[in-house]
């Protein structure tokens, strides 16, 4: 490992780090080395912010992101975060200099950069506070400082600003797990935290005398229970929501097999039986293509028919929005005597439903796949396959 020197101009804050045998250091020397590494790391982050800002000025955000991915081997998400940090510091020259001189840490700089984008900020005053406060203390100092500058003595403007930033997402990861991310204002967060802590604590006491789960596992279970179950007195019941589960019926053995979710994900038999205990069973008979028999002249599909359409379309046929955001659309309109049956119904989200009824988009069956799709008015229909 080669040693190197990190400097900024002719400043005396350059940190020289040499390769040493860590196991041979005493406690004081190890603490000193960690302090040196921290200073060097802060300086590098300051240098990186300067270089990224200059690269972005000379080229474009797209080229800058590609350079970060190729030269620093960053992921796309990391590159975007690096560019965002550099953009925040671009208008804070003193903060960027303090970071490059290792007088503050990267987290201090990020707090000041985020605050500067959110509202008024006395950079010199907050930078002086950052040099001797922890990040947790600085966040509180910056909030009070901005409230004072904006005349928001009771915090009402800040709360309104925070509520406008609330957001939540629920996305599938590469390994099939799902990630729940959310931002809440402090008032909503306090109620959520109290409920989550209570539920997590109940799970801790419920496992007394047995192997207790780690806190992160209990917290994840608590979130799932809060979202999917409701309390009626002392008893818990499932939320009144629909979860579509498919299974094949063996007429000879008179058993259900091959349980799966609507998107085709296999479901273990134990989990299938557990869900069936709380489920309202909606029976229906479908063919191999999940086509259901007509259920009569009715405008709205029955729960069985809607379940079949959900299993077939798996969301909006136009934009792939999730089934929960979709309505059942009659291809031949109900007013034109269109039947309420599976071959005349498709799932459309509200935006795509508006396109069909008001912007002349058409629901058609693709000649190659045989599946319904949404065709805009400017697009020619695909050619049918040649007949043998």
């Amino acid at each position: 490992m080669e040693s190197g020197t990190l400097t900024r101009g002719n400043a005396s804050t350059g940190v020289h780090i040499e390769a040493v045998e860590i196991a041979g250091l005493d406690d004081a020397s190890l603490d000193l080395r960690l302090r040196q590494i921290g200073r060097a790391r802060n300086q590098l982050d300051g240098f990186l912010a300067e270089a990224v800002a200059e690269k972005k000025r000379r080229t474009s955000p797209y080229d800058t992101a590609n350079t970060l991915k190729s030269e620093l081997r960053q992921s796309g998400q990391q590159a975007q975060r690096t560019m965002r940090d550099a953009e925040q510091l671009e208008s804070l020259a003193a903060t960027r200099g303090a970071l490059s001189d290792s007088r503050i840490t990267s987290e201090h700089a990020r707090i000041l950069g985020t605050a500067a984008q959110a509202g008024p900020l006395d950079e010199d005053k907050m930078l002086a506070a950052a040099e001797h406060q922890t990040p947790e203390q600085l966040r509180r100092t910056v909030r009070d400082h901005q409230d004072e500058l904006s005349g928001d003595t009771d915090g009402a403007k800040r709360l309104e600003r925070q509520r406008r930033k609330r957001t939540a997402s629920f996305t599938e990861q590469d390994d099939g797990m799902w990630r729940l991310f959310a931002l809440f204002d402090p008032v909503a967060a306090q109620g959520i935290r109290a409920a989550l802590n209570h539920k997590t604590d109940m799970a801790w006491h419920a496992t007394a005398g047995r192997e207790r789960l780690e806190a992160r596992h209990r917290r994840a279970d608590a979130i799932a229970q809060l979202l999917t179950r409701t309390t009626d007195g002392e008893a818990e019941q499932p939320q009144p929501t629909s979860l579509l589960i498919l299974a094949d019926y063996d007429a000879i053995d008179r058993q259900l097999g091959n349980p799966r979710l609507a998107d085709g994900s296999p479901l273990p038999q134990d989990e299938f039986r557990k869900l069936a205990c709380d489920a309202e069973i909606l029976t229906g008979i479908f063919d191999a293509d999940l086509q259901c028999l007509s259920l009569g002249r009715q405008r709205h599909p029955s729960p069985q028919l809607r379940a079949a359409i959900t299993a077939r379309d798996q969301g909006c046929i136009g934009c792939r929005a999730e089934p929960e955001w979709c309505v059942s659309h009659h291809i031949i309109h109900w007013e034109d005597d269109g039947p309420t049956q599976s071959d005349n119904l498709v799932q459309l989200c509200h935006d795509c439903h508006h396109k069909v009824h008001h912007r002349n988009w058409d629901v058609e069956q693709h000649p190659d796949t045989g599946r319904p799709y949404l065709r805009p008015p400017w697009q020619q229909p695909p050619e049918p396959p040649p007949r043998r």
Side-chain angles (χ1 to χ4, degrees), residues 248-260:
D248 301 330
Y249 181 71
D250 190 326
I252 298 176
D253 296 333
R254 296 184 178 182
Q255 290 183 344
L256 290 173
N258 188 27
R260 57 202 183 275

Side-chain angles (χ1 to χ4, degrees), residues 44-104:
L44 281 174
D45 286 340
F47 297 158
L48 179 60
E50 291 178 342
V52 168
E54 181 63 24
K55 177 69 176 179
K56 190 176 173 183
R57 275 193 295 270
R58 294 186 184 185
T59 58
S60 67
Y62 177 80
D63 291 334
T64 305
N66 282 339
T67 300
L68 290 171
K69 288 188 283 187
S70 62
E71 300 300 331
L72 274 66
R73 302 184 67 181
Q74 290 190 346
S75 66
Q77 189 175 10
Q78 284 178 309
Q80 292 299 323
R81 186 163 53 246
T82 300
M83 292 170 59
R84 184 171 61 249
D85 292 344
E87 182 180 357
Q88 288 180 339
L89 293 177
E90 197 167 3
S91 60
L92 300 175
T95 301
R96 190 171 63 247
L99 178 61
S100 299
D101 293 341
S102 196
R103 289 184 284 121
I104 62 173

Side-chain angles (χ1 to χ4, degrees), residues 54-244:
E54 181 63 24
K55 177 69 176 179
K56 190 176 173 183
R57 275 193 295 270
R58 294 186 184 185
T59 58
S60 67
Y62 177 80
D63 291 334
T64 305
N66 282 339
T67 300
L68 290 171
K69 288 188 283 187
S70 62
E71 300 300 331
L72 274 66
R73 302 184 67 181
Q74 290 190 346
S75 66
Q77 189 175 10
Q78 284 178 309
Q80 292 299 323
R81 186 163 53 246
T82 300
M83 292 170 59
R84 184 171 61 249
D85 292 344
E87 182 180 357
Q88 288 180 339
L89 293 177
E90 197 167 3
S91 60
L92 300 175
T95 301
R96 190 171 63 247
L99 178 61
S100 299
D101 293 341
S102 196
R103 289 184 284 121
I104 62 173
T105 67
S106 302
E107 191 169 1
H108 287 105
R110 192 172 294 115
I111 293 170
L112 295 180
T114 302
Q117 289 186 330
L121 182 76
D122 185 334
E123 183 184 4
D124 293 335
K125 184 176 181 179
M126 291 300 98
L127 189 54
E131 292 186 17
H132 66 269
Q133 289 185 354
T134 65
E136 292 79 11
Q137 293 171 331
L138 181 62
R139 287 191 185 94
R140 200 173 301 112
T141 299
V142 169
R143 284 199 299 264
D144 294 342
H145 168 69
Q146 290 193 306
D147 289 346
E148 181 182 354
L149 290 181
S150 62
D152 187 20
T153 54
D154 60 355
K157 293 179 181 177
R158 181 176 68 190
L159 181 60
E160 180 60 28
R161 187 168 62 247
Q162 289 168 330
R163 282 179 172 165
R164 286 198 298 268
K165 292 183 178 180
R166 67 188 184 278
T167 183
S169 62
F170 192 46
T171 54
E172 187 176 10
Q173 307 300 292
D174 294 339
D175 60 355
M177 298 287 286
W178 285 75
R179 179 177 181 268
L180 175 63
F181 173 81
L183 287 175
F184 301 101
D185 65 80
V187 176
Q190 289 299 323
I192 294 171
R193 187 177 69 172
L196 181 57
N197 288 344
H198 175 67
K199 202 73 173 177
T200 305
D201 185 61
M202 289 175 59
W204 187 83
H205 288 289
T207 56
R210 296 175 292 181
E211 182 181 358
R212 284 183 169 146
L213 299 174
E214 292 186 26
R216 58 193 178 96
H217 293 148
R218 286 187 282 112
R219 198 172 297 113
D221 293 343
I223 292 174
Q225 291 173 2
L226 286 170
L227 291 176
T228 61
R229 304 189 72 82
T230 181
T231 303
D232 183 9
E234 295 295 326
E236 281 193 347
Q237 300 293 334
Q239 291 276 16
T241 56
S242 299
L243 174 64
L244 179 60

Side-chain angles (χ1 to χ4, degrees), residues 245-320:
I245 301 174
L246 305 177
D248 301 330
Y249 181 71
D250 190 326
I252 298 176
D253 296 333
R254 296 184 178 182
Q255 290 183 344
L256 290 173
N258 188 27
R260 57 202 183 275
L261 298 176
D263 62 0
S265 300
L267 195 64
Q269 284 285 352
D270 291 344
E271 193 67 23
F272 176 57
R273 285 192 289 269
K274 187 191 303 182
L275 291 170
C277 290
D278 293 328
E280 177 184 356
I281 306 299
L282 305 175
T283 58
I285 300 176
F286 314 109
D287 62 16
D289 295 324
L290 294 173
Q291 299 292 333
C292 183
L293 297 176
S294 172
L295 299 177
R297 178 71 174 157
Q298 53 186 24
R299 177 159 192 154
H300 299 291
S302 67
Q304 296 98 319
L305 182 53
R306 181 172 173 84
I309 299 168
T310 300
R312 182 195 66 197
D313 294 344
Q314 297 187 13
C316 177
I317 64 169
C319 66
R320 309 313 307 166

